Amino acid sequence: MGQLFSWFKRTPPRLQSKDLEGVAAYIASGRCKNIVIMAGAGISRAAGIPDFRSQGGLYDVLRKWNIDVRRPEDIFTLSRFKEDPKPFYKLMSQLYGGSYRPTLTHSFFRLLDKRRVLNACWTQNVDNLECLAGLPARRLIEAHGTLDSQHCTSCGAKCDDRKMKHAVVTGDIPVCEKKGCGGFVKPDVVMFGESLPLKFWLNLPFLKRADLLIIVGTSLAVPPFSFIANWVPTSCPRVVINMEPVWGVGGRANDVEVLGDCDETVRRLAQLIGADWEAQLDALWKETEGKVFQYKEGVPA
Ligand code: OAD
């Protein structure tokens, strides 16, 4: 009961300065115990995976291909995919043909978890690099689904991994093998026009516990994911770590913007927090040396 009372009495957190130093001091103070992360494609760029909206990003590539779509986003739209999945698979074959190691930023998430200050990491990425960096599944909300599994868009049947591996190696379109179906198979990533996974919706109430929100490597352009930034308490400090300003964040008293490369910024943050944070960060990143994401690794094409 006393604990419950102290919860209500808690004084809202205030940053001593609205910069990275202020964020570091807040984390180092030990008062910050429920950090929420919102991540996007920018955190995987150093691993060699392009983001969507930057110059040279996926949407630029799609514009150059001159595909018959109104906007490049359309190839990630379910209705368009059902009409013609070719451009999607061409892109998949270019994207996930290689192997990718987690970045320092992914290891920073793991460090927060190890330090027991991470509430949850909400990611829009489907590259599995958070897992490879060692983040446990209970801390990870893959809001835009996963490449791990796949289903037929017509009959809903689960399809085997070999088919998808073959599609990614060759760019061919996988088709459902169920008798009389022949529908297009799609990895279980969330496309525009599809609902987000149940785990996303079930975890929304826990955002109210957040005492620091870190928004990193995302343009925050896609709802409903982008709405999360407004579901943390108004008093919760929010820090944007991104190459460019992010729409919709910056107007609250405790908002901080740190523009630049995320790997450099998280290293600086670890240095500023002090103690052995930077050494631990480096050690965790070193652990990822042999760990690379290879699409359907071990599955023959
Ligand atoms: P975007 O490409 O929209 O945004 C990536 C952001 O990361 C940009 O603002 C970049 O400036 C920034 N960035 C790039 N490299 C960085 C670096 N090294 N350090 C810091 N920041 C960096 O990607 P997302 O926001 O993830 O959804 O895109 C969200 C969703 O849009 C995707 O999940 C996908 C897409 O359409 C669906 O397909 C449903």
Side-chain angles (χ1 to χ4, degrees), residues 40-41 45 52-53 59 124 144 217-219 242-244 261-262:
R45 269 187 74 180
F52 292 87
R53 294 174 179 82
Y59 290 158
Q124 297 161 96
H144 289 175
T218 173
S219 60
N242 208 47
M243 283 296 200
E244 57 189 4
D261 175 66
C262 53

Side-chain angles (χ1 to χ4, degrees), residues 27 33 35-37 105-119 135 139 212 214 269 273 277 280-281 284:
I27 296 175
K33 294 191 168 78
I35 301 178
V36 169
I37 292 165
T105 301
H106 292 99
S107 293
F108 184 73
F109 300 168
R110 170 72 181 117
L111 176 58
L112 294 177
D113 173 51
K114 232 181 150 184
R115 290 275 178 163
R116 297 179 184 276
V117 291
L118 181 69
N119 176 298
L135 208 62
R139 296 270 169 235
L212 175 66
I214 301 179
L269 183 56
I273 296 169
W277 275 66
Q280 271 205 341
L281 175 61
L284 287 173

